[in-house]
Amino acid sequence: LTNLDVSQNTALTDLRCGINQLTKLDVSNNTALTYLNCESNQLTSLTLGNITPLKSLYCRSNQLTSLNVNKSLQTLSCSSNQLTNLDLSKNTALNNLDCCDNIYSIFISSDGIFSLGDFPAGFDPQKASNWTGAAYDSKTNLLKDFTSKSVTYKYDCGNYQTVTFTLECTFAEICGVKVNSDNVVVTYSDDTSRTYSFDEVTDEIVDFMIDYDFDSCIAFVNAFTAKEGTLILTHPQLEA
C-alpha cells in the first residue's frame, strides 16, 4: 500500500497497516481507535489528533522527524525514526516506551558549526544534556568542536523518561584550494570559501593537495618557504 484513507471509518478500534510503503497517515477522525500499528512504512507524517481511547501506538521503522502523542497512551514504540525530541510530559499512563535508534541527519558547514534552531519543531535545548561527539554552546545555541560523525545526547522527555538521540553528521568537504603568496583560499562543497594564513593550514587541506596533485603539494611547500607564486587546485570531479 502507498496510500490509506480511513477517515470515514469512525468506528474503527484496531488498525494494523505495517510493512507497506505509506508516506503519511491520518487517523484523527478515528476517535474510537485503541490500537495502531503502522510500523515499517516510509511515514514522514503521522496525524493522531486527540484520540482519547488510544492505548497502544507502534510506529517504529519509519522516517518521522516529529511525533505528537496522545496522553492516553500506555505503550509507545517509536524506535528507528528520525526524532530529535519527544514530549511525554502529559503521558502519566505510559508504562512501556521503546524509543531507541532515532537518528537525524545534519549538515555541518565549513565554519564547523550547526545551529540547533534548525532542528524540527519541539526541541528544547534546556532538556538536552550529556552531549558526545560535539560541544554545545548554550549562549549561541550552536554545536561546535565536532570530534565525531556521530553525535549523541540525552533528552528529558518528561515523566521520568530520558531518551538518547543520535545525530548523523555530514561535513562540508574541500573541493578546491588556491595557494597565494601569503595565504591559502579554500572552497567548500557548501559554496563557501575561507582564507587561511600558512600557519592555519590544516592537515585536511594538505591531504586534499596530496590526494589530487602531489606535485602541486610540493609547489605549496615551495610557496610556503618562498612566499611567492600562486597555485590553484580543483577536485577533478568538480572541474566540469
Side-chain angles (χ1 to χ4, degrees), residues 31 50 118 148 185 196-197 214:
T31 54
N50 186 23
D118 294 333
S148 173
V185 180
Y196 301 87
S197 68
F214 183 77

Side-chain angles (χ1 to χ4, degrees), residues 164-235:
T164 297
F165 293 104
T166 301
L167 306 178
E168 185 177 77
C169 306
T170 300
F171 295 85
E173 297 181 348
I174 297 173
C175 58
V177 175
K178 178 182 179 183
V179 181
N180 300 310
S181 60
D182 58 353
N183 60 43
V184 177
V185 180
V186 179
T187 56
Y188 293 88
S189 56
D190 60 351
D191 295 326
T192 62
S193 63
R194 298 174 66 84
T195 301
Y196 301 87
S197 68
F198 284 128
D199 292 339
E200 294 174 326
V201 172
T202 64
D203 291 341
E204 183 183 13
I205 297 172
V206 174
D207 288 343
F208 174 88
M209 292 188 287
I210 292 175
D211 287 344
Y212 296 108
D213 193 334
F214 183 77
D215 291 338
S216 295
C217 186
I218 298 301
F220 165 75
V221 174
N222 292 336
F224 178 86
T225 304
K227 298 269 196 291
E228 62 182 17
T230 296
L231 166 67
I232 298 177
L233 299 175
T234 304
H235 194 304

Side-chain angles (χ1 to χ4, degrees), residues 153-173:
Y153 58 95
K154 294 185 181 299
Y155 196 83
D156 181 4
C157 301
N159 275 314
Y160 307 101
Q161 301 283 1
T162 300
V163 173
T164 297
F165 293 104
T166 301
L167 306 178
E168 185 177 77
C169 306
T170 300
F171 295 85
E173 297 181 348

